[in-house]
Amino acid sequence: MPALADPGSSRAVLLGTAAYHHLDQLPAVEANLLDLAGELRDATVWGLPGEHCTVVLDPQSAVDLLDPVHQAADEATDTLVVYYAGHGMRDPDSADLYLALGTSRDGVGYSAVAYSHLRTALRASRARRKVVVLDCCFSGRAARTLAGDTRSIAGEAAVDGVYVITSAPRDRVALAPDGERYTAFTAELLYILRHGIPEAAELLDLDALYRELTARLGAKNRPLPQRSQENAMGALHLVRNKARAGHRAPAGPVLDADVRTAAVATGLNIARMLRRQGNTRDALPVLRLALQEQPEGHTVRFAVQLELSELLTETGHLAEAIAVLESAYQQLHKPYGPEAVLLCRRLADLLQESGNHIQACEVLWRAIDIGAGDHRVR
């Protein structure tokens, strides 16, 4: 009988950069990381213990990106999974593959993290099986450098004994379609984890995942993934097939993050209904509770913070309203769009009303910068 990769002696590191100073923003990367972590931890998918799944969003240096990989590589003895989403880059001279950080510059390889450093950590790992998933695009000059390059990105990223899957789109539009929660590649990966493959076995191996990814992306006329494997790694059974799940499926936490988000969204709608009815006394505790239940940086939490600050202002709780908006303001390197600009304007108004004119000006400048950044992304 085929066996699932042992979650107790396995590790996963999910890396991604969503916010950039010099490259196009990729806000979908945050949703990629959080929701993919939720699926890997779900007992009906893999059941990876929470402490065995590390999420690194917007690493600021090579140390921030690589240290968690080295730690997981040291701890894992069964399977090590490393995922990266963000801009992939090419040095114009060497054409080597680099993983972009927030401060990386177009066509300047040394401002990013060389994939060779990640390869070194993988080679040193004690894990029997290793899986690398690269959801990368190539922007600016790097895209032009690749225009006549027929070499497989997956082949260049190959490591002995490692199964590598890459999305390898050549532009941001293919990687992160406007208006979609996830990048194109990871959206299909998450769909497969959540819904399974009806005609496949009860346990999905890496080759089955790759074939289904290729079919789903091809059907939508999106860039096809690539793969590279060593030592028949494609036969590794990594996750359960939800399409074949029956009464014997484990009864662990099902989509815990999604359930919590749905509950918070319901609380937000209830509070808005109470406000429309003039019942602010009951709306306030509902919003406060919703704020406690949603992790920082999530778009639903962002909406709750806006609603709560508005209600607090209406009821005369100015100091608490400012505190709520300032907490949301600290997360503005992640969400972009008109809601972020609205938050800045509201915070600036309250700061000015409370006499803090200098900080109000700083927040307004931030609103202008975010508005310009959102225009560039779209």
Side-chain angles (χ1 to χ4, degrees), residues 343-363:
L343 183 146
C344 288
R345 289 175 177 170
R346 287 185 181 175
L347 178 56
D349 288 343
L350 293 182
L351 289 170
Q352 189 171 8
E353 185 177 337
S354 64
N356 196 337
H357 303 293
I358 295 177
Q359 190 176 356
C361 289
E362 292 175 352
V363 172

Side-chain angles (χ1 to χ4, degrees), residues 297-308:
H298 199 285
T299 53
V300 176
R301 177 186 174 92
F302 195 60
V304 171
Q305 288 168 314
L306 285 171
E307 191 79 19
L308 178 57

